Amino acid sequence: MTAFSDSNRVAVGQVGGPTAVINASLFGFLEEVLPRYEVYGLLDGLQGLAEGRLAPLSASTVERYRKASETPGAWLGAGRWKARTEEYVITLKERDIHRLVLIGGNGTMWSCLEIERLAEEMGYELAVLGIPKTVDNDLAETDHAPGFGSAARYVATIVRDISRDLESVRNFEAVRVLETMGRNVGWLAASSGYLKRRADDPPHLIYVPEQGLRQEEFLEAVKEVHRERGYAAVVVSEGLMPHENPLSQPLLGGVSRELAALVREELGLAARGELLGMGQRSHSLSVSLQDRREARELGREAARLMRSGTGGCMVALARISSEPYEYEIYPVPFERVAGKERTLPGEWVHSDHSIGEGFRKWLKPLVGEDLEAYPANLSEEIRR
Amino acid sequence: MTAFSDSNRVAVGQVGGPTAVINASLFGFLEEVLPRYEVYGLLDGLQGLAEGRLAPLSASTVERYRKASETPGAWLGAGRWKARTEEYVITLKERDIHRLVLIGGNGTMWSCLEIERLAEEMGYELAVLGIPKTVDNDLAETDHAPGFGSAARYVATIVRDISRDLESVRNFEAVRVLETMGRNVGWLAASSGYLKRRADDPPHLIYVPEQGLRQEEFLEAVKEVHRERGYAAVVVSEGLMPHENPLSQPLLGGVSRELAALVREELGLAARGELLGMGQRSHSLSVSLQDRREARELGREAARLMRSGTGGCMVALARISSEPYEYEIYPVPFERVAGKERTLPGEWVHSDHSIGEGFRKWLKPLVGEDLEAYPANLSEEIRR
């Protein structure tokens, strides 16, 4: 049936930053190909492929570690690595592996394309498949990517909760600038508005990279919200302005801390900048079960495509409807994904820094139907 | 029955920083005293008491807002405020209120004591009761305080998850220094070790204010863990060393960022400092149901004491046993609580920066019996 009848070896790896559900994709794939195929796991993603560190994964090993499908982080190890594409192909060739499946984001799909092209040039038969993964949701051609739903669920709930906390201490603290992940796109920042129902509710201002931020407008908007509400909850995307890398710079922080400093200096208000941090991509109590389900399904579908001899594409989600939520999984050629970026549509985030109803409807099935906005807090009527 | 038969007015307030369950205490109290008493809510805590901003809370209002008992933040407003004790008593006197109930921490119990003493000096009959609340768990004379269990649940899960994430990207990021709340005590930092089962598991090092931190020892320990495990997850309490206040200082951050900078400079390792932030005291998805239950029970018990004419004390939790978990609620005179501090017992955090089994058993019922440690990650045997 397959084009490579003399070898049934498969390599599978996780690449880049993990998500809370990346292991569900891996286990979905493994469950579907074992024990029929001889499977090798790339240790530490592309580094393992470059260095030939591949772990044989038997059905019994996978069964023994089954619970890992529900843990965050990458079970095989992931991370960033850059080697010449040739090194990847050489490892596969040496091991007589003709099928490669990578779970990753934008950059990973680019690597998939390069590896497949080089193998073809070298005359080495190789079928490569990609499984999408990103908390930023910047992958093109898929309605959304696994990992995003859980991150959005975390962001939507924690921003609502931290803002409610702030509201009740406004005689001491006036402004919180909360920073979400999203280096180039505002999907996660926008998700912070999901549980806002009334115009007065926090978060009061959402800034996304697609719209940018002008300091004067920002300060004016914060001032106005604070004047009206007595406090201001602001959400910004980490990719909003160039800022220092926390891994290399000792004291400078993210854009949220810089903006909080600006608010203190220019408006004289007590302001705190807070990065929502690595919990966005890992907090187990915040996982969206729908997100995990889809991650697993995409892993399974990649396995089915592989068994049918298909290569050269990423499995993607196409939404059929939002209410009721229906979708299908289909393959997209790497060419249409690699190097592309999926930005937040303009109509989903307004110029007054609130989100559109269309975005809320789109997001609902991904973060979980159980989430509800809070009732209004002790009303102004009662406060006098 | 009561000593103040001519007035059935009660004032109730929330003071200081809120927790995820502070409203459960308030509603527990309100449910128990309405409609028999005429209840006034202090708006914004002691500020409302000083300024005479009291909201009448009828049974129908409370019923209408019932869902607020499960939201974070303080429903009445809380925050910090400092006025002369006299101002508080004057407001009560003007309104003919002879019963005051405050939900708060250490400082609040001190205020309770002062208010009661001054009223006595002034010949004004006043019964004051306190309901404990703190995420730091630094209140004396109570086994623990509501708010802590939920914060500990958040810390235990998110540290496990962020560490598992780090483990899988160790070819790119080596060290994470995670900072918990706890200005003077290490209860929350220690809670991060709750889901660690094997010596190899993260978090590898926990630093609490009770033990302090010596830079050379810290660097040596991080270096050693990194050498052995390939990564290091470190937890520090915000109160470990004096550091800048995020509300007033623009760029300097918490102790975690300072220590991460130290690791980068002295050990040359890629290190990230991360504050676990305000989600610790507010994240609704992380609430411990037992914590919320106890918060409500303490509110109810304060109401019962009030009805019996008691004053001068805080309701406290006494643990009878951990397995099965049993406790009772009893009153403690303010004198035994005010200005005292409950530190982490020495035997519950070891000199090698791990936590003791006694602490784990003590913590279990508070964070929820459903939490489980993760199985070992892909073993070294498989990684080779």
Side-chain angles (χ1 to χ4, degrees), chain A residues 1 8 14 21 27 57 66 74 76 97-98 140 173 185 204 207 220 227 229 232 295 303 326 349:
Chain A
M1 185 64 217
N8 70 341
Q14 299 167 298
V21 301
F27 278 76
L57 299 174
R66 202 166 37 88
L76 293 170
I97 294 171
H98 293 271
E173 211 180 314
V185 294
H204 305 107
Y207 287 85
E220 202 49 52
R227 197 184 57 76
R229 306 287 309 147
E326 287 174 38
V349 55

Side-chain angles (χ1 to χ4, degrees), chain A residues 42-68:
Chain A
L42 307 182
L43 295 176
D44 304 321
L46 290 176
Q47 184 182 6
L49 187 56
E51 297 174 352
R53 291 191 298 118
L54 280 65
L57 299 174
S58 68
S60 69
T61 299
V62 169
E63 176 54 29
R64 192 150 43 90
Y65 281 95
R66 202 166 37 88
K67 276 203 160 182

Side-chain angles (χ1 to χ4, degrees), chain B residues 34-92:
Chain B
L34 288 168
R36 200 182 326 184
Y37 289 81
E38 198 180 322
V39 182
Y40 293 87
L42 308 182
L43 296 176
D44 305 323
L46 290 175
Q47 183 181 7
L49 187 55
E51 298 175 353
R53 291 192 297 117
L54 279 66
L57 299 175
S58 68
S60 69
T61 300
V62 169
E63 176 54 28
R64 191 150 43 91
Y65 282 95
R66 202 167 37 89
K67 275 204 160 180
S69 70
E70 299 194 354
T71 59
W75 185 58
L76 294 170
R80 298 193 207 163
W81 200 257
K82 192 65 196 161
R84 285 176 303 118
T85 308
E86 210 179 350
E87 298 177 52
Y88 303 140
V89 182
I90 288 169
T91 298
L92 296 168

Side-chain angles (χ1 to χ4, degrees), chain B residues 243-323:
Chain B
H243 60 278
E244 307 300 334
N245 180 345
L247 288 180
S248 60
Q249 290 295 324
L251 296 175
L252 287 173
V255 61
S256 55
R257 288 201 291 272
E258 291 171 31
L259 290 171
L262 195 69
V263 168
R264 286 192 296 268
E265 284 154 23
E266 299 296 323
L267 304 182
L269 296 173
R272 181 195 300 270
E274 182 168 318
L275 282 84
L276 297 181
M278 306 310 281
Q280 290 170 91
R281 70 185 204 194
S282 67
H283 195 215
S284 53
L285 297 185
S286 304
V287 161
S288 153
L289 297 181
Q290 180 61 30
D291 187 28
R292 182 183 285 160
R293 202 174 299 130
E294 292 175 1
R296 190 177 281 262
E297 285 171 2
L298 285 163
R300 286 211 186 104
E301 187 57 25
R304 282 183 212 112
L305 286 173
M306 192 202 74
R307 278 163 26 190
S308 74
T310 308
C313 55
M314 177 187 90
V315 286
L317 290 159
R319 185 180 302 227
I320 297 162
S321 81
S322 290
E323 294 174 318

Side-chain angles (χ1 to χ4, degrees), chain A residues 16 18 43-44 47 53-55 61 65 67 71-81 153-154 157-158 160-162 164-165 168-169 171-173 176 246-252 257 261 264-265 271-272 274 277-279 281-286 372 374-379 382-384, chain B residues 16 18 43-44 47 53-55 61 65 67 71-81 153-154 157-158 160-162 164-165 168-169 171-173 176 246-252 257 261 264-265 271-272 274 277-279 281-286 372 374-379 382-384:
Chain A
L43 295 176
D44 304 321
Q47 184 182 6
R53 291 191 298 118
L54 280 65
T61 299
Y65 281 95
K67 276 203 160 182
T71 59
W75 185 58
L76 293 170
R80 299 193 207 163
W81 200 256
R153 184 176 167 89
Y154 183 76
T157 55
I158 212 157
R160 174 192 59 179
D161 295 338
I162 289 178
R164 183 61 70 115
D165 178 280
S168 67
V169 295
N171 64 9
F172 173 66
E173 211 180 314
R176 284 186 188 157
L247 288 179
S248 60
Q249 291 295 325
L251 295 176
L252 288 172
R257 287 202 291 273
R264 286 193 296 269
E265 285 154 24
R272 180 196 300 269
E274 182 168 317
M278 305 311 282
R281 71 184 204 195
S282 65
H283 194 216
S284 53
L285 297 185
S286 303
E372 281 177 24
Y374 285 148
N377 216 343
L378 191 59
S379 69
I382 290 176
R383 296 186 73 90
R384 300 173 210 183
Chain B
L43 296 176
D44 305 323
Q47 183 181 7
R53 291 192 297 117
L54 279 66
T61 300
Y65 282 95
K67 275 204 160 180
T71 59
W75 185 58
L76 294 170
R80 298 193 207 163
W81 200 257
R153 184 176 167 89
Y154 183 75
T157 55
I158 211 156
R160 174 193 58 179
D161 295 338
I162 289 179
R164 182 61 69 116
D165 178 281
S168 68
V169 295
N171 64 9
F172 173 67
E173 211 179 312
R176 284 188 189 156
L247 288 180
S248 60
Q249 290 295 324
L251 296 175
L252 287 173
R257 288 201 291 272
R264 286 192 296 268
E265 284 154 23
R272 181 195 300 270
E274 182 168 318
M278 306 310 281
R281 70 185 204 194
S282 67
H283 195 215
S284 53
L285 297 185
S286 304
E372 281 178 25
Y374 285 149
N377 217 341
L378 190 60
S379 70
I382 290 175
R383 295 187 72 91
R384 299 171 207 186

Side-chain angles (χ1 to χ4, degrees), chain A residues 100-147:
Chain A
L100 173 66
V101 177
L102 296 182
I103 309 170
N106 253 331
T108 305
M109 298 310 145
W110 188 260
S111 299
C112 285
L113 186 62
E114 288 187 325
I115 292 170
E116 206 169 47
R117 280 182 180 161
L118 184 66
E120 200 181 340
E121 278 175 39
M122 291 164 67
Y124 184 66
E125 244 182 337
L126 180 70
V128 183
L129 286 168
I131 301 173
K133 167 251 41 159
T134 162
V135 291
D136 287 0
N137 205 40
D138 57 352
L139 265 164
E141 297 288 336
T142 184
D143 178 74
H144 57 279

